[in-house]
Amino acid sequence: MPRNKHPEETVDRILNTALALFLEKGYEATTVQDIIDHLGGLSKGAIYHHFRSKEEIMIAVGDRLGAENARMLGAVRDDPSLTGREKLVEIFRASLRNPNQEALFKVGLAVKKNPRFLALQLEDIFQVVAPDYIQPILEQGQRDGTIASADPQGLAEVMMLLTNVWLNPMILISTPEKMAQRCRLYNELLRPQLGFELLDEEMLQKYIDYCGWYLRTAEEKGDVAAGGL
């Protein structure tokens, strides 16, 4: 059998196809055979040469979406024209406006049902997002006087844990009304540390919108009874 001279192109084809199917059918309903059937002649062996399971494909899809998000977060973090406070607000606003966000939510529907995916998400919070993106912004804000916290590391970890777990409708399912309450409490909890309320009305509405979308999707899939929260 001839060697694949362009393995990165094969991986891209697999991940592009898998993402499209995960968005269309959902992770649980998509099989490896579905992916093969949509790859236009690529063999099962070619897929298993790069990925041992559908779970590994899912992780790679999430990593690729995460890498695109990291470039966006890094651009905000490294913008020399912004204060620490301005960077923190912008990084949250940009994350919620991110066109990849809906794809991340749809792909992430598998998180709640797969402990490994949740463990990887928590690992990413504490090893990448908090120390590499949020903590440097808080430290800058501490230096330039726009953020009050005396513990940037601890605050970065708490902020990301609350944001990615407590405010994540895929993990803690909620009504839009409860989500609004959580967002307001989030502001109240963090105000003494930051010196200001981080989530403005636009960001609050984004959380409510994503919560409503997830709740409708979960009801359609039978994961939660309508009005049962």
Side-chain angles (χ1 to χ4, degrees):
M1 178 182 294
R3 291 175 59 87
N4 183 357
K5 296 181 180 179
H6 304 287
E8 61 282 349
E9 292 180 7
T10 300
V11 169
D12 281 344
R13 284 180 63 195
I14 294 169
L15 296 184
N16 289 338
T17 300
L19 176 57
L21 288 169
F22 292 159
L23 294 179
E24 177 188 350
K25 301 178 60 175
Y27 172 78
E28 296 293 338
T30 300
T31 66
V32 173
Q33 189 60 51
D34 289 332
I35 298 171
I36 294 168
D37 291 343
H38 285 77
L39 279 171
L42 198 63
S43 69
K44 181 180 292 188
I47 289 185
Y48 283 113
H49 175 74
H50 297 285
F51 302 102
R52 291 176 294 181
S53 65
K54 184 179 72 168
E55 186 178 85
E56 283 197 0
I57 296 174
M58 167 70 167
I59 291 170
V61 167
D63 286 346
R64 189 166 68 169
L65 290 171
E68 294 174 10
N69 288 346
R71 287 191 287 273
M72 177 271 294
L73 298 177
V76 176
R77 179 198 59 197
D78 300 334
D79 187 339
S81 69
L82 300 177
T83 66
R85 173 174 175 167
E86 290 168 339
K87 286 182 179 182
L88 190 63
V89 171
E90 181 57 29
I91 212 165
F92 268 70
R93 181 178 293 123
S95 294
L96 289 167
R97 287 176 175 173
N98 184 357
N100 278 339
Q101 193 64 52
E102 186 171 340
L104 283 168
F105 268 113
K106 287 183 177 180
V107 170
L109 288 171
V111 167
K112 193 172 183 178
K113 296 183 178 180
N114 192 313
R116 185 183 180 195
F117 294 156
L118 181 57
L120 289 170
Q121 183 177 14
L122 292 173
E123 181 180 296
D124 189 59
I125 289 171
F126 291 112
Q127 296 187 7
V128 180
V129 181
D132 293 349
Y133 297 97
I134 305 302
Q135 184 177 336
I137 290 174
L138 295 175
E139 289 171 345
Q140 178 189 336
Q142 187 183 49
R143 291 192 302 270
D144 65 27
T146 59
I147 292 176
S149 176
D151 183 7
Q153 179 181 352
L155 180 57
E157 292 172 350
V158 168
M159 289 176 68
M160 291 299 96
L161 188 60
L162 289 174
T163 301
N164 289 280
V165 177
W166 192 53
L167 294 183
N168 187 337
M170 294 180 297
I171 295 175
L172 188 60
I173 194 165
S174 172
T175 64
E177 292 76 18
K178 287 182 180 179
M179 177 59 74
Q181 291 174 356
R182 288 191 185 126
C183 287
R184 293 188 178 99
L185 181 55
Y186 181 91
N187 274 340
E188 291 178 19
L189 291 171
L190 294 182
R191 189 191 303 119
Q193 292 293 321
L194 294 175
F196 60 95
E197 291 192 349
L198 176 58
L199 303 180
D200 60 21
E201 287 302 314
E202 178 193 351
M203 288 187 263
L204 187 148
Q205 188 58 52
K206 282 288 188 181
Y207 274 110
I208 292 172
D209 291 344
Y210 283 126
C211 178
W213 172 84
Y214 178 73
L215 187 59
R216 290 190 300 273
T217 302
E219 288 173 351
E220 290 169 2
K221 293 180 176 296
D223 290 344
V224 62
L229 296 178

